[in-house]
Amino acid sequence: MNFTPTKYQLQTVATGRVFDDQGWTLDDKECASPSMVRPIYEKKQLHVKEDKDLGLYRYADWLPIKTMLSNPSEPITYKSEKLAKRLGLNNLYITFNGWWPERNARMTTCSFKEMEAYSVCARLGEELKDQVLVVASAGNTARAFAKVCSDNGIKLLLCVPQDNINALWFDKPLNPCVKLITTESGSDYFDAINLSNVVCEMKGYLAEGGAKNIARRDGMSTTMMSATTFIGRTPDFYFQAVGSGTGAIAAWEVNLRFIGDGRFGTNKARLMVSQNKPFVPMYDAWRADSRPMLPYDADQARKDAAEICAPVLSNRKPPYSLAGGLYDALKDTNGDILAVSNAEANAAKALFEETEGIDIYHAAAVAMASLQQAIEKGMVKADDVIMLNITGGGEKRFQAEHELHYLKPNHIFKIDFTKEEVERVLAEMM
């Protein structure tokens, strides 16, 4: 697609310093403390493009991208009737990410992680085209990046825990430019991140960057862009389940841009995020009003991660404490973190499918269960404008309608792998 790169500069949250993006800047090297950097877009008002075929690139004014990739999708927002009535809410808006053709939702990976991948990969410039993009994931992010990179011929190396590779299903065989390495059974997402960090120390490999990548956060913020432009104002409440909290940070950041836009009100949506018990490290820190994360034994964390119904929510090292991270986002929006059991999530999952007519992921069900908790506790009122971010759905239907192909690991590493082993394996594999 013909496209003029979006114009923006970067600003460090901790210091306010404004500087130019060097192409793949993740941190401000002049900032002594951990901090997010944010893009400051030249266009202060968001003009959504009319062409639905552009997918999330309809929001290109506020995406830090150099090009547009093929086959893009986008979030879809609608006003709920049946679920809203069941919950006693008058203004419940659902932003759906997944496969639901009747509502023009066409994410073939069935997850809003596609929004990250289409944005991050569109940030890659010509100077980086020969690098191998490295992505660590607990499942859905890997599937999204694999799909986008395969469709667009972008070299990709995925690092995923072995126990999560059943999430790497696709509706067609992948381009061989996509490779997969895993950490052994019994490992978790943090182990996969460690593996990816070792890979990124090697020449020719590019760290995707996770939450610090502005393109990842702004890609995820298209959910809030979709909801706000559909409703005509920013919502009063934003509900989402979180593993890293990156999506909620992104919603907060774009909310601030909407205030600057001037056409969508001055309201800051209260971020109501949720974790899946017993894996609740951010919930515990927030309840203790602690900016630093509390100590969490690695073996206990792996055990807790194995017990939750939404394993994609099991990030041991989230961007919670740094300047511009989730702690700051919650404080600025008067937000909260709720904890949801597997039983509560499963009940919410069934209720959503019964009332709205489409299946949803366990992570999205955790978010819905947290909305139910908030209603029961009197935290939200019947007339509040509520955005429920359904971060994944339609997988059951999509899989029933398509032949599936699974990505197999090129190599499985022990948890105690060495750098020399990784170097040897990649030299043979790539």
Side-chain angles (χ1 to χ4, degrees):
M1 302 178 185
N2 292 324
F3 176 68
T4 301
T6 305
K7 294 182 179 179
Y8 63 91
Q9 286 186 295
L10 299 178
Q11 183 173 41
T12 307
V13 175
T15 65
R17 187 175 89 92
V18 177
F19 59 105
D20 291 331
D21 186 4
Q22 298 304 307
W24 201 254
T25 302
L26 300 176
D27 297 286
D28 179 0
K29 302 305 181 187
E30 295 187 15
C31 184
S33 58
S35 176
M36 291 289 196
V37 295
R38 295 174 180 162
I40 302 176
Y41 291 103
E42 182 176 80
K43 293 183 178 178
K44 301 305 179 186
Q45 289 192 326
L46 174 67
H47 295 282
V48 183
K49 295 172 173 48
E50 294 293 331
D51 186 354
K52 295 294 181 75
D53 291 337
L54 293 177
L56 85 162
Y57 300 129
R58 296 172 66 221
Y59 306 101
D61 287 353
W62 288 357
L63 294 175
I65 57 177
K66 298 179 175 69
T67 187
M68 292 185 184
L69 305 179
S70 62
N71 305 322
S73 52
E74 68 173 310
I76 301 298
T77 299
Y78 67 95
K79 188 173 185 180
S80 171
E81 296 180 2
K82 293 182 179 178
L83 177 60
K85 183 176 181 180
R86 188 74 68 91
L87 297 178
L89 299 174
N90 297 323
N91 296 295
L92 173 60
Y93 292 87
I94 292 171
T95 299
F96 185 86
N97 302 267
W99 182 255
W100 198 356
E102 291 81 3
R103 289 199 179 272
N104 204 33
R106 299 184 181 276
M107 294 183 192
T108 60
T109 66
C110 303
S111 167
F112 87 141
K113 298 297 185 178
E114 274 191 39
M115 300 304 94
E116 300 177 22
Y118 278 115
S119 181
V120 167
C121 293
R123 188 187 179 197
L124 288 164
E126 280 296 311
E127 72 279 7
L128 298 172
K129 67 178 182 179
D130 293 328
Q131 299 279 301
V132 178
L133 187 65
V134 180
V135 173
S137 168
N140 288 345
T141 299
R143 188 167 70 252
F145 273 88
K147 175 247 184 328
V148 173
C149 289
S150 177
D151 284 354
N152 291 277
I154 298 167
K155 289 183 283 190
L156 173 70
L157 180 65
L158 299 172
C159 301
V160 179
Q162 178 68 19
D163 293 336
N164 294 39
I165 63 169
N166 62 342
L168 300 182
W169 53 263
F170 305 91
D171 62 337
K172 59 186 177 184
L174 295 185
N175 185 316
C177 64
V178 176
K179 308 288 187 186
L180 169 66
I181 55 178
T182 69
T183 48
E184 66 182 322
S185 180
S187 65
D188 69 357
Y189 180 32
F190 186 60
D191 296 310
I193 291 174
N194 279 340
L195 177 58
S196 73
N197 288 341
V198 171
V199 173
C200 290
E201 293 175 2
M202 302 175 190
K203 185 178 180 181
Y205 293 90
L206 179 68
E208 179 272 327
K212 289 188 175 183
N213 192 323
I214 56 170
R216 175 179 276 217
R217 300 201 311 276
D218 286 357
M220 298 171 96
S221 78
T222 57
T223 57
M224 179 65 99
M225 293 191 225
S226 170
T228 298
T229 54
F230 180 84
I231 299 167
R233 52 160 286 192
T234 49
D236 297 317
F237 290 88
Y238 171 95
F239 281 83
Q240 187 198 319
V242 293
S244 68
T246 308
I249 296 167
W252 170 50
E253 291 177 329
V254 81
N255 193 155
L256 298 178
R257 278 185 211 121
F258 274 122
I259 293 173
D261 180 304
R263 297 172 297 168
F264 298 91
T266 59
N267 178 58
K268 290 180 184 176
R270 291 186 64 186
L271 300 180
M272 306 294 286
V273 300
S274 46
Q275 294 208 277
N276 190 184
K277 295 189 289 189
F279 191 94
V280 289
M282 287 190 287
Y283 171 85
D284 289 340
W286 181 251
R287 285 285 166 266
D289 195 22
S290 173
R291 176 184 286 272
M293 297 287 289
L294 306 181
Y296 198 179
D297 177 77
D299 289 336
Q300 184 63 49
R302 292 188 185 103
K303 179 178 181 293
D304 292 345
E307 292 182 19
I308 61 177
C309 63
V312 296
L313 303 180
S314 60
N315 189 335
R316 266 193 273 156
K317 298 288 184 179
Y320 176 83
S321 307
L322 79 171
L326 186 63
Y327 181 85
D328 285 343
L330 292 171
K331 286 290 185 180
D332 189 53
T333 63
N334 191 29
D336 205 352
I337 304 182
L338 304 173
V340 171
S341 69
N342 286 349
E344 290 172 316
N346 286 326
K349 190 174 189 292
L351 178 59
F352 191 96
E353 185 168 2
E354 175 195 339
T355 54
E356 296 298 311
I358 194 72
D359 61 286
I360 61 174
Y361 280 167
H362 276 105
V366 168
M368 178 171 152
S370 72
L371 171 58
Q372 292 176 285
Q373 281 188 19
I375 294 169
E376 291 165 5
K377 294 176 180 179
M379 300 170 77
V380 301
K381 308 301 182 186
D383 289 330
D384 286 335
V385 177
I386 297 165
M387 173 189 170
L388 174 60
N389 190 357
I390 296 298
T391 50
E395 180 178 295
K396 184 169 68 174
R397 172 172 171 182
F398 185 88
Q399 292 189 347
E401 295 173 351
H402 296 81
E403 179 184 353
L404 300 183
H405 302 265
Y406 287 82
L407 185 61
K408 303 298 183 185
N410 294 89
H411 190 84
I412 302 170
F413 288 92
K414 299 284 189 183
I415 293 176
D416 58 352
F417 60 83
T418 64
K419 182 178 181 179
E420 291 71 25
E421 180 189 5
V422 177
E423 289 176 335
R424 176 182 54 80
V425 168
L426 293 187
E428 295 172 356
M429 195 178 86
M430 304 300 289

